[in-house]
Amino acid sequence: MYKLLALNIDGTILKNNGRLQRETKEAVEYVKRKGVYVTLMTSRNLLAARKVAKALKLDSELITFQGAIIGKSLKEKIFEALIPEERTFNIVQVLENYNCNIRLMHERYSIGNRNKVQKNLVVKTVLSSGDPFFYPTQFVDSLGNILMDEPVAVPKIDVYFANERERNEAMSVLAKAFPTIDMIMHPNEKMEIVPQGVSKLAGLQRLGNHLGISLKEMVVIGDGLDDMPAIEAVGLGVAMGNAPAEVKKAADWVTRSNEQLGVAYMIKEHFRKQLRPEFLRKLKIKR
């Protein structure tokens, strides 16, 4: 019996055009009626995740910024981990030696460097932030200069490198210089820098402790490499049909792609036989 369902956002519940389908909304409502706690786990900021949650009629704690912030809103957090101001500045100083686009992901806004951004990277970084109305993005010539005057602590730093060689070199330098950060790698030379101990899996564990739900009582549906540790650890790990081969291999079950309503299909297939906890308790009392 599963008590919690965690859904990734991009590439999982959203189609490639960013739309949320009616069938997905209905499936989430269906599983909620089964007494299952539904949450989102995402690399997105909390404001963007909250907007998706609202469309799904979820009032649950959300795992955002790769698990660096967990909460219902910016005023209602159960966990927060930040990269301190001085460390953020020092990391930026290292990264500005490479041909990359750096984005400091504050809880309310993001700041990116303009002078080293390739056109395709600009599109990727702006689109990945969610709704710019809720989460404004500013580009500056030098992040280092900005941080000298206005220091900031952030839950996450996104970095888009020009090539894999530079990303690997930067990763090696950062790992030696800053042992209190973790780096999450993605396709297309993207890197996410988070406080040590932050991940989607760690976020699920923290949320589970808060709710009294174990990992084995959870279902995770995701499509990315950053979803894989959570998919492997929970009671039922599900990979989307559009996920990379290694994510599918790690999963207990593979559903259809996000373009083929994979989340809705999986929920109907796996949760239709699950009974509400209240009904099961009544059965036990009668026996």
Side-chain angles (χ1 to χ4, degrees):
M1 171 144 176
Y2 298 112
K3 297 180 179 179
L4 183 147
L5 171 63
L7 303 169
N8 180 47
I9 295 180
D10 297 288
T12 300
I13 60 173
L14 298 184
K15 295 185 69 175
N16 293 339
N17 61 7
R19 293 183 177 246
L20 184 62
Q21 296 296 94
R22 173 179 53 82
E23 292 88 347
T24 303
K25 296 179 184 179
E26 292 173 351
V28 169
E29 192 62 34
Y30 172 81
V31 80
K32 282 167 57 185
R33 290 198 299 269
K34 295 274 188 175
V36 177
Y37 189 97
V38 182
T39 185
L40 304 177
M41 59 172 204
T42 178
S43 63
R44 285 189 179 210
N45 62 81
L46 182 53
L47 294 175
R50 185 75 258 160
K51 186 182 178 187
V52 177
K54 185 177 181 181
L56 291 169
K57 298 181 181 178
L58 297 179
D59 188 36
S60 48
E61 311 284 352
L62 307 178
I63 300 165
T64 63
F65 288 108
Q66 286 289 3
I69 294 181
I70 305 172
K72 291 186 177 182
S73 69
L74 294 179
K75 294 181 179 180
E76 299 176 276
K77 303 172 193 170
I78 64 171
F79 176 79
E80 180 178 51
L82 301 177
I83 303 171
E85 293 176 355
E86 183 177 356
R87 194 170 305 137
T88 298
F89 173 71
N90 291 334
I91 290 170
V92 166
Q93 283 193 309
V94 171
L95 290 172
E96 286 188 326
N97 292 303
Y98 297 92
N99 184 19
C100 62
N101 169 243
I102 311 160
R103 285 192 68 200
L104 304 180
M105 310 296 287
H106 187 268
E107 62 180 17
R108 295 185 181 275
Y109 58 85
S110 73
I111 311 174
N113 62 328
R114 180 190 297 116
N115 57 331
K116 294 188 177 181
V117 179
Q118 300 174 15
K119 286 186 178 180
N120 61 325
L121 296 185
V122 173
V123 173
K124 287 178 185 176
T125 55
V126 171
L127 290 181
S128 68
S129 67
D131 193 325
F133 178 77
F134 290 97
Y135 192 73
T137 299
Q138 178 186 4
F139 290 102
V140 298
D141 291 328
S142 171
L143 280 174
N145 290 342
I146 292 293
L147 293 179
M148 287 181 68
D149 297 328
E150 300 177 35
V152 62
V154 294
K156 187 165 71 85
I157 303 173
D158 285 356
V159 194
Y160 296 81
F161 288 88
N163 55 67
E164 187 176 2
R165 179 189 60 78
E166 288 218 348
R167 186 179 74 171
N168 292 341
E169 183 181 325
M171 178 178 65
S172 178
V173 172
L174 291 170
K176 291 177 183 177
F178 306 102
T180 57
I181 62 169
D182 286 337
M183 288 168 279
I184 301 168
M185 301 301 152
H186 295 271
N188 303 319
E189 287 67 63
K190 179 185 176 183
M191 172 198 294
E192 291 179 295
I193 302 172
V194 294
Q196 190 175 42
V198 163
S199 68
K200 289 182 177 179
L201 173 56
L204 276 177
Q205 290 172 316
R206 291 181 174 108
L207 179 57
N209 291 338
H210 177 73
L211 298 172
I213 299 175
S214 70
L215 287 176
K216 294 305 176 185
E217 296 174 303
M218 299 181 187
V219 178
V220 164
I221 310 179
D223 72 292
L225 296 175
D226 55 331
D227 298 315
M228 196 160 71
I231 286 173
E232 290 177 310
V234 297
L236 180 61
V238 180
M240 298 295 292
N242 49 291
E246 53 264 57
V247 179
K248 292 178 181 176
K249 187 176 180 181
D252 301 303
W253 201 70
V254 179
T255 186
R256 298 170 180 172
S257 74
N258 61 326
E259 291 292 305
Q260 299 170 314
L261 300 170
V263 169
Y265 175 74
M266 181 274 160
I267 287 175
K268 292 294 176 66
E269 284 293 306
H270 275 270
F271 283 97
R272 59 191 169 91
K273 294 181 181 180
Q274 180 163 308
L275 300 174
R276 288 179 60 86
E278 293 83 356
F279 180 77
L280 293 175
R281 280 195 290 269
K282 287 179 182 178
L283 284 180
K284 288 181 181 178
I285 292 171
K286 288 180 180 179
R287 288 177 184 175

